[in-house]
């Protein structure tokens, strides 16, 4: 190999390693299953990466007419802490932080789910 | 430009490695890129769907529209629905969809000898399951309602109309989602979609196989709620429908748990030692209907029903945690807890 070809080979190798690293980071960093998404009437109204939360906070989605849910966020987890619905199934679901179980409030048409969780191991749940 | 063979060779090698990395890290993925998804509330539950391949999103938009059409016809609470009108004792000119679901569900009521009964609604009302104002009705109230629980009283007329006898009410709740999943799968096929996974509030319809050709992995919900799913069944082109007491229940003043799966012959919640029943088969409405009916029958009678009729497979989760599967699932069901005892039922009695 000529001296110039060695330089080209070295540069190419460096580019390949860097691009491989970049692609793997892009693929896996965003899908570690900690982004919580809040949907109201089917529309995404709020999203937060639970792994970046350092302080607890609460907020409310909806209103008296459309039904409201108060949502609590803590480092690594999220739940419905209060709601206007009659059955409070959403509150009883408790905290979620990973996995496939969403929080669903049917009366208020609210869903909270953890997105990008590639490792749940199933395509759907029957039940 | 002067050609440099070494440079060319290195470039070719570099391109090959780059493409390999692309393939491994999934940065292309043509089918995934053209998939469609839908998530919406209908039929008193949440529906989530993903369809793979060209036209997937357009096909799911059609499915969503279809499901809202069916809901408008079948809802027992929407004052503009055909079912609501029939339950008021009115003579109703049935749409093709309503005539079809009535036809199919009445056949399933007969097949299950009334373990499924689409006329159980007055009893559901008495328990408050239709309104969530739960209460324990006394036995005289239930006895007074039982004569109206009889699917054979529902007789659509040959002229395409239905008039229910006074006091009789129908409810498509135990079959509507399964029926909708059948029509959805058909609509997707008509749109050239051969890979899709639909969950109509936990009624799963696996259309075709996954885009990579492997089977869909469908989790069976853990009735205890302790884990997300109690096991996984691998299927393609199958409906997977589960009924369980955990779906809707309340605790009475007497401390007893009462759930929404009612035995039509007694008017009381079906307590047969089962926590949930999953049915796997080709037809969504059959699986939907049988998941309720076999829960009401209990494991022994349900297994006899399976032996007599076949055409489906089943998973029974008992209240004591025992898992019973029918023999056709032996190689495709895996319990989450590998130490769990799984009993395989065979056709031999």
């Amino acid at each position: 190999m000529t001296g110039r070809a060695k330089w080209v080979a070295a540069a190419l190798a460096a580019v390949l390693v860097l691009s491989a690293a970049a692609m793997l980071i892009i693929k896996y960093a965003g899908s570690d299953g900690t982004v919580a998404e809040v949907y109201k009437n089917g529309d995404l109204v709020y999203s937060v990466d639970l792994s970046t939360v350092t302080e607890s906070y609460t907020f409310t989605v909806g209103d008296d007419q459309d039904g409201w849910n108060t949502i609590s966020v803590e480092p690594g987890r999220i739940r419905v802490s209060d709601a206007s619905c009659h059955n409070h199934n959403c509150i009883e679901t408790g905290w979620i932080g990973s996995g496939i179980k969403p929080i669903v409030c049917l009366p208020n048409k609210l869903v909270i789910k953890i997105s990008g969780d590639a490792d749940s191991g199933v395509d759907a749940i029957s039940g | 430009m002067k050609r440099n063979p070494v440079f060319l060779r290195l470039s070719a090698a570099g391109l090959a490695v780059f493409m390999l990395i692309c393939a491994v890290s999934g940065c292309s993925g043509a089918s995934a890129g053209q998939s469609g998804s839908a998530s919406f509330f209908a039929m008193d539950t949440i529906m989530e769907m993903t369809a793979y391949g060209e036209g997937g999103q357009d096909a799911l938009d059609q499915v969503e529209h279809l499901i809202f059409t069916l809901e408008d016809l079948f809802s027992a609470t929407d004052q503009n629905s055909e079912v609501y009108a029939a339950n008021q004792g009115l003579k109703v000119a049935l749409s093709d969809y309503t005539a079809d679901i009535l036809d199919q569900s009445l056949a399933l009521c007969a097949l299950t000898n009334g373990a499924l009964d689409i006329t159980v609604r007055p009893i559901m009302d008495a328990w408050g399951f239709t309104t969530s104002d739960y209460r324990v009705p006394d036995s005289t109230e239930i006895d007074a309602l039982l004569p109206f629980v009889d699917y054979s009283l529902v007789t659509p007329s040959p002229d395409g109309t239905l008039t229910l006898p006074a006091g009789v009410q129908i409810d498509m709740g135990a079959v509507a989602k399964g029926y909708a999943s059948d029509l959805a799968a058909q609509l997707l096929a008509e749109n050239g979609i051969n890979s899709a996974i639909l969950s109509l509030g936990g009624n799963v319809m696996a259309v075709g196989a996954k885009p990579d050709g492997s089977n869909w992995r469908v989790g069976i919900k853990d009735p205890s709620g302790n884990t997300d799913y109690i096991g996984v069944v691998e299927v393609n082109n199958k409906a997977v429908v589960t009924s369980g007491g955990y779906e809707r229940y309340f605790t009475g003043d007497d401390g007893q748990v009462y759930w929404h799966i009612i035995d039509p012959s007694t008017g009381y919640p079906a307590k047969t030692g089962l926590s949930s029943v999953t049915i796997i088969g080709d037809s969504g409405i059959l699986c939907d209907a049988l998941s309720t009916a076999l829960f009401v029958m209990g494991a022994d009678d349900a297994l006899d029903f399976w032996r007599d009729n076949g055409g489906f497979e089943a998973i029974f989760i008992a209240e004591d945690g025992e898992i019973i599967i029918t023999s056709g699932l032996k190689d495709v069901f895996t319990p989450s807890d590998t130490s769990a005892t799984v009993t395989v039922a065979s056709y031999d009695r």
Side-chain angles (χ1 to χ4, degrees):
Chain A
M1 247 187 230
T2 63
R4 185 161 163 252
K6 275 184 190 161
W7 273 109
V8 171
L12 208 54
V15 167
L16 281 175
V17 169
L18 284 174
S19 58
M23 274 181 223
L24 290 174
I25 288 169
I26 289 166
K27 179 171 163 61
Y28 292 108
S31 61
D32 56 359
T34 60
V35 177
E37 296 179 336
V38 180
Y39 293 84
K40 174 77 175 175
N41 297 321
D43 299 323
L44 180 66
V45 292
Y46 187 81
S47 122
V48 56
D49 186 342
L50 296 173
S51 67
T52 65
V53 174
T54 52
E55 298 220 344
S56 307
Y57 61 94
T58 64
F59 61 99
T60 297
V61 172
D63 52 37
D64 283 339
Q65 198 192 338
D66 211 16
W68 52 265
N69 301 71
T70 299
I71 294 163
S72 297
V73 178
E74 283 187 5
R77 57 186 197 164
I78 187 167
R79 71 163 173 152
V80 174
S81 48
D82 197 8
S84 62
C85 60
H86 51 79
N87 58 21
H88 283 182
N89 285 345
C90 53
I91 300 174
E92 285 164 18
T93 304
W95 295 100
I96 61 168
S98 64
I100 45 176
K101 186 167 69 175
I103 299 172
V104 178
C105 181
L106 283 179
N108 294 351
K109 295 187 172 12
L110 179 109
V111 177
I112 304 175
K113 57 185 173 191
I114 310 295
S115 73
D117 194 355
D119 293 325
S120 63
V122 292
D123 301 301
I125 296 278
S126 175
Chain B
M1 190 181 133
K2 192 184 159 196
R3 289 190 156 189
N4 182 333
V6 176
F7 182 78
L8 274 181
R9 236 178 296 148
L10 283 172
S11 303
L15 189 65
V17 173
F18 183 83
M19 285 165 71
L20 187 70
I21 293 168
C22 262
V24 168
S25 65
C27 63
S28 57
S31 60
Q34 288 169 341
S35 67
S37 66
S39 178
F40 54 96
F41 288 91
M43 298 183 173
D44 206 20
T45 189
I46 182 168
M47 311 219 166
E48 308 218 62
M49 312 181 168
T50 307
Y52 296 91
E54 203 172 332
Q57 189 59 53
D58 179 53
L60 285 184
D61 289 347
Q62 293 178 44
V63 166
E64 182 173 343
H65 182 260
L66 168 72
I67 287 176
F68 283 122
T69 301
L70 298 178
E71 178 178 33
D72 288 346
L73 296 170
F74 304 159
S75 167
T77 51
D78 177 351
Q79 301 195 2
N80 298 311
S81 83
E82 292 182 4
V83 166
Y84 185 91
N87 286 346
Q88 305 308 302
L90 302 173
K91 180 178 180 178
V92 179
L94 298 175
S95 63
D96 289 348
Y97 287 135
T98 308
D100 187 27
I101 193 176
L102 264 180
D103 226 36
Q104 292 196 44
S105 46
L106 288 170
L108 289 162
C109 292
L111 180 70
T112 60
N113 199 20
L116 170 79
D117 196 315
I118 58 169
T119 59
V120 80
R121 187 173 171 83
I123 301 276
M124 298 290 279
D125 255 336
W127 286 91
F129 286 116
T130 53
T131 56
S132 299
D133 289 327
Y134 303 123
R135 57 189 277 272
V136 180
D138 62 36
S139 58
T140 49
E141 186 179 352
I142 287 178
D143 289 345
L145 291 172
L146 279 178
F148 302 105
V149 178
D150 181 355
Y151 65 90
S152 68
L153 299 172
V154 182
T155 50
S157 147
D159 68 1
T161 64
L162 173 70
T163 311
L164 293 174
V168 175
Q169 293 189 33
I170 55 173
D171 193 323
M172 297 296 124
V175 288
K177 294 195 288 282
Y179 179 76
S181 73
D182 285 335
L183 294 196
Q186 196 185 327
L187 187 52
L188 290 173
E190 285 166 9
N191 278 268
I193 303 296
N194 48 30
S195 176
I197 186 88
L198 318 179
S199 170
L200 290 72
N203 278 34
V204 175
M205 177 61 84
V207 177
K210 287 166 86 156
D212 66 4
S214 63
N215 286 333
W216 299 101
R217 293 171 53 81
V218 179
I220 308 303
K221 192 164 183 170
D222 179 356
S224 72
N226 292 334
T227 60
D228 283 339
Y229 50 90
I230 203 154
V232 174
V233 64
E234 294 184 50
V235 295
N236 71 66
N237 253 338
K238 288 278 184 291
V240 183
V241 182
T242 302
S243 285
Y246 57 81
E247 292 169 294
R248 200 178 304 166
Y249 62 90
F250 69 97
T251 307
D253 295 335
D254 54 4
Q256 276 218 63
V257 169
Y258 298 95
W259 55 46
H260 74 297
I261 305 177
I262 300 285
D263 182 341
S265 68
T266 66
Y268 283 85
K271 289 275 193 179
T272 54
L274 293 173
S275 298
S276 76
V277 175
T278 301
I279 307 291
I280 297 144
D282 295 332
S283 153
I285 190 172
L286 177 93
C287 292
D288 203 358
L290 293 189
S291 67
T292 302
L294 271 59
F295 188 103
V296 168
M297 290 177 196
D300 290 344
D301 287 355
L303 284 169
D304 280 342
F305 180 90
W306 167 72
R307 292 179 184 113
D308 291 342
N309 295 280
F312 66 93
E313 301 294 337
I315 302 168
F316 304 92
I317 315 286
E319 286 189 283
D320 63 9
E322 186 190 6
I323 302 173
I324 305 167
I325 63 173
T326 52
S327 55
L329 298 176
K330 203 162 49 126
D331 299 323
V332 294
F333 175 78
T334 314
S336 303
D337 174 2
T338 46
S339 66
T341 311
V342 178
T343 306
V344 181
S346 71
Y347 276 106
D348 305 325
R349 276 167 221 258

